[in-house]
Amino acid sequence: MGRARAKTKKFVPIVTNSSQSSSSSATPAISALLDKAQELIVQCDFPLARKFIERALVRGDGSVSEKNQAREMMGVVLLETGELFLTLLPPHPTAPTPPPPSAHLYLAQLSADPYTALKHYQAAVDILQTQLKGKAPSPTQGDEQDEGDDEVRSNIVRAYVGMVEVWMDPEYDLCFDPAASSTCDSLLANALQIDPHNLEALQCLASVRLSQEKTEEALAALLTFPPSSPDAPPARNQALVAALPVSVRLARAKLLLECGAYHVALDVLENVLASDDSSVEGWYLMGWGWWLVAERQKEGGEVEGSEGLTWEDMARDSRDCLETCQMLHESQSDPDTPILEHVQELLGTLNALGIMSSPVQDDEEGDGDGWEDASDDEDVEMS
């Protein structure tokens, strides 16, 4: 377990007579329409952005570059609103039969309505299950068929995990449904029947078990990995976790911290920050993790991987990480206010304990001293 050191322009109308206004009204430039559309896309106002893009596309005075930019922006709008995928599903006249499961998976993620999202996820599962059952073994395809089957299974598991996440999302009323817990258990059982060692499914299971206050079962799920051969390298499981998306690894580290597996969580976070040292959440979790370790040791407990360190050492590491998080949060204008509030709370606690930041080591200063010594010696020799 390594230690981390770590304007809106105002439009002024010109009053003219009716005959002059019709002839002198300026038509907005294509570039202005596209700039406005881009601004609306950033604001996630896709319907209004589409209107500006359509105005640009019907014009005949745009350059080839502007037309291509408009088409690209229209693709983004159609992608974000799901309209592109709706053309792949019935009752659209050009929809293929059967429709691609990816269309349902994308629409499920884009949907703001939980019931619509669950409907799309289930439709994707049904199509994928049919694909899996319809594949007869082929001795000529061999490994290629196995890889294809693995991808289908992975997509089925991902759809089941997506459904569980919808049921658990506090933004929806579904999480308050009396059947939420049992429904999540059933969905995860289906996912793990498809792939018993899928790390994302097991991580989702851990999240559900924590919500059910079953900490030991949650930790067991997080520490379950695919079986390996006796000669597999010790870092094999770490490599499997490192292959997961950063967002999944950050969620995993948070679950590990909540389960009390501090050293495992810090190892995960160390790898995350090694690949992305600008992650606000990564530095926050690392700082929180070191604080939890320091707090336990201060109270007389022992934490694996912290041998040779005092609780003050670990608290200082915590402060270094939290201050880095605070700096990145401000510089990136990160919208996650709860993280910043918790960071400030922890820094206040560290202040009360008299824990200051680690001293800055200036390597350049040491190099400068060396150059001065060399110069002095040379002067003596020349004299």
Side-chain angles (χ1 to χ4, degrees):
M1 180 174 71
R3 297 174 64 195
R5 289 296 182 194
K7 283 177 182 187
T8 304
K9 295 182 180 179
K10 292 185 178 180
F11 176 74
V12 181
I14 301 175
V15 180
T16 60
N17 59 44
S18 57
S19 61
Q20 289 177 327
S21 62
S22 60
S23 60
S24 62
S25 59
T27 302
I30 297 287
S31 60
L33 293 173
L34 296 179
D35 287 344
K36 183 61 178 178
Q38 181 61 43
E39 178 184 335
L40 292 166
I41 289 174
V42 172
Q43 298 172 1
C44 296
D45 190 346
F46 301 113
L48 188 54
R50 180 173 182 171
K51 292 181 179 180
F52 279 89
I53 297 170
E54 288 174 342
R55 287 176 63 186
L57 287 172
V58 298
R59 293 264 294 272
D61 57 334
S63 65
V64 173
S65 176
E66 288 172 332
K67 292 294 183 181
N68 289 337
Q69 183 182 357
R71 293 188 187 98
E72 183 177 344
M73 293 171 70
M74 181 63 81
V76 172
V77 168
L78 294 176
L79 184 67
E80 293 292 343
T81 59
E83 293 182 59
L84 181 64
F85 303 108
L86 287 173
T87 62
L88 300 173
L89 303 178
H92 196 277
T94 62
T97 303
S102 58
H104 283 294
L105 291 174
Y106 278 113
L107 288 169
Q109 296 175 55
L110 292 172
S111 178
D113 175 62
Y115 297 98
T116 302
L118 291 172
K119 179 181 177 182
H120 281 299
Y121 276 129
Q122 187 59 57
V125 168
D126 293 342
I127 296 170
L128 289 165
Q129 291 277 25
T130 301
Q131 289 180 359
L132 198 60
K133 293 176 182 177
K135 287 187 175 182
S138 174
T140 59
Q141 292 182 337
D143 293 340
E144 291 182 8
Q145 183 175 15
D146 291 340
E147 291 178 3
D149 291 349
D150 288 344
E151 184 178 357
V152 172
R153 290 190 181 92
S154 178
N155 285 330
I156 294 174
V157 171
R158 192 170 293 115
Y160 279 127
V161 169
M163 284 191 269
V164 174
E165 290 174 345
V166 170
W167 275 94
M168 293 182 66
D169 195 327
E171 292 186 5
Y172 304 138
D173 294 334
L174 284 174
C175 64
F176 303 109
D177 192 307
S181 182
S182 59
T183 301
C184 289
D185 285 343
S186 177
L187 291 169
L188 284 167
N190 290 339
L192 292 170
Q193 186 176 8
I194 296 291
D195 185 356
H197 299 101
N198 184 283
L199 296 187
E200 292 190 50
L202 288 165
Q203 183 168 315
C204 186
L205 176 62
S207 180
V208 171
R209 290 294 177 263
L210 273 178
S211 70
Q212 298 167 342
E213 300 182 353
K214 299 177 180 179
T215 307
E216 292 184 1
E217 293 183 25
L219 182 56
L222 289 169
L223 299 181
T224 299
F225 291 91
S228 60
S229 59
D231 57 345
R236 169 184 174 272
N237 292 344
Q238 288 184 348
L240 291 175
V241 172
L244 296 172
V246 169
S247 60
V248 177
R249 284 186 279 162
L250 289 171
R252 185 181 194 85
K254 186 177 182 180
L255 291 171
L256 287 163
L257 290 175
E258 292 174 352
C259 289
Y262 304 141
H263 70 290
V264 183
L266 291 171
D267 282 341
V268 173
L269 290 168
E270 187 178 3
N271 286 328
V272 169
L273 293 174
S275 59
D276 181 13
D277 61 1
S278 64
S279 171
V280 171
E281 187 177 2
W283 285 110
Y284 158 66
L285 291 173
M286 181 73 91
W288 182 34
W290 275 116
W291 165 245
L292 292 172
V293 176
E295 189 177 38
R296 175 174 290 186
Q297 184 149 322
K298 183 175 180 292
E299 294 172 353
E302 293 185 2
V303 180
E304 181 183 348
S306 60
E307 296 82 2
L309 299 175
T310 66
W311 76 266
E312 291 94 344
D313 291 331
M314 292 179 284
R316 194 173 296 110
D317 281 348
S318 171
R319 185 182 189 97
D320 293 342
C321 295
L322 294 171
E323 288 181 344
T324 301
C325 172
Q326 191 175 40
M327 178 191 66
L328 290 171
H329 194 286
E330 181 180 354
S331 65
Q332 297 177 13
S333 299
D334 194 287
D336 198 328
T337 303
I339 279 184
L340 183 60
E341 291 175 346
H342 193 201
V343 166
Q344 292 171 341
E345 177 187 343
L346 291 170
L347 287 173
T349 301
L350 291 165
N351 285 336
L353 292 169
I355 302 298
M356 297 295 103
S357 307
S358 300
V360 178
Q361 296 180 354
D362 192 350
D363 294 335
E364 294 182 1
E365 184 178 345
D367 293 341
D369 292 341
W371 278 107
E372 289 178 6
D373 292 339
S375 299
D376 293 342
D377 293 341
E378 186 177 355
D379 291 340
V380 170
E381 290 177 2
M382 291 179 66
S383 62

